[in-house]
Amino acid sequence: MTDYPGYDEAFLGIPLPLPRPADARPARELTYPHFSVTLDPARRLAVVTGVNIDGPTVQDLPRTGTWDYDPRVPEDEQTGPGVYADNDLDRGHLVRRRDPGWGDAATAKRATDATFVFTNAAPQAARFNQSKELWLGLEDHVLAYAQTQGSRISVFTAPVLACDDPPYRGIRIPRRFWKVAAWATGVASAPLAAAGFVLDQSHLIDTTLAKGVTVVPLGGFRTFQVPVGDIAVLAGIDVGALAAADVLTAPTAAARAPRELNSLADVIL
């Protein structure tokens, strides 16, 4: 796989470095077209991903990619196809297929195809990964915001890699995922805004059954809009300027506590 510049910290016109692990864990930063993945090789999953989205030039392309290992990384440092076989787990995109697919058609296709790499996947309960109601709907909502506002957005997503995540086929399945969206405001006094979200799929996964993994009925997961600073603590990452730019904790914010989302109308951007 060819190396690409990856996530651009100057993309919003405001310096915004990719969040990074707050501790000294070994990590591999991998670059792709318009996005980057920071891989925790011990967990075989990403600890941070970051993608730049240019709303006005996002292309609506057919799904053409196929999942494969990143040849730059040993296969035993990636969560490969064996984890997803014969169970109710999906290979959940962390950087979504559509998000880096902007620019001219050739560039957009190269970027969307590049998302089908196991370094950019994490096990997600199928019903949560496919639900348009909240997590998938939230991702669509963020992209639509960039497109309708004619703006650029940078989005960071990863699983929470907790020590007590349930073991399964040589990995530990993340119970929670986080996402932070950031955009420029055009206001000199507060040039950056950000919003953070956490999804908890703890009640969707059960690794104790004979088949390996099953899921409970839809509705067993919960999505919250939470302060970005809380995400930093939860996921063990350094979010830099994102915490201070959070729309939930800004002085003018109407709500400062975590908010459970029951519909997209509950989202504050």
Side-chain angles (χ1 to χ4, degrees), residues 61-257:
L61 299 175
R63 185 183 180 102
T64 57
T66 57
W67 288 99
D68 205 351
Y69 290 101
D70 187 323
R72 299 171 295 180
V73 180
E75 290 185 7
D76 62 3
E77 293 183 3
Q78 304 177 61
T79 295
V83 171
Y84 303 98
D86 301 319
N87 55 37
D88 291 318
L89 291 176
D90 274 356
R91 291 165 291 198
H93 274 85
L94 296 174
V95 172
R96 287 212 315 162
R97 179 186 68 86
R98 289 192 64 198
D99 287 354
W102 52 268
D104 62 77
T107 299
K109 183 180 186 304
R110 186 162 55 245
T112 58
D113 287 352
T115 64
F116 288 88
V117 65
F118 286 120
T119 53
N120 184 45
Q124 294 178 347
R127 290 175 182 172
F128 128 55
N129 183 45
Q130 298 166 14
S131 171
K132 295 184 181 296
E133 294 179 8
L134 284 179
W135 192 245
L136 178 59
L138 171 64
E139 293 178 324
D140 288 338
H141 186 64
V142 169
L143 180 59
Y145 182 84
Q147 292 177 299
T148 58
Q149 298 296 316
S151 63
R152 291 182 161 194
I153 288 184
S154 291
V155 177
F156 313 97
T157 308
V160 175
L161 303 181
C163 295
D164 59 350
D165 286 333
Y168 180 68
R169 296 185 182 179
I171 68 159
R172 289 185 177 275
I173 297 179
R175 293 168 299 148
R176 288 168 291 187
F177 292 80
W178 60 270
K179 182 182 297 292
V180 176
W183 60 97
T185 65
V187 178
S189 60
L192 183 69
F197 307 89
V198 170
L199 183 137
D200 188 336
Q201 66 169 0
S202 300
H203 301 298
L204 276 177
I205 56 177
D206 182 354
T207 62
T208 64
L209 301 184
K211 190 175 178 180
V213 173
T214 190
V215 298
V216 299
L218 185 63
F221 66 89
R222 306 170 75 192
T223 302
F224 298 84
Q225 183 166 1
V226 303
V228 175
D230 290 0
I231 291 175
V233 174
L234 179 68
I237 55 170
D238 180 352
V239 298
L242 291 168
D246 188 358
V247 295
L248 270 192
T249 56
T252 56
R256 300 169 186 267

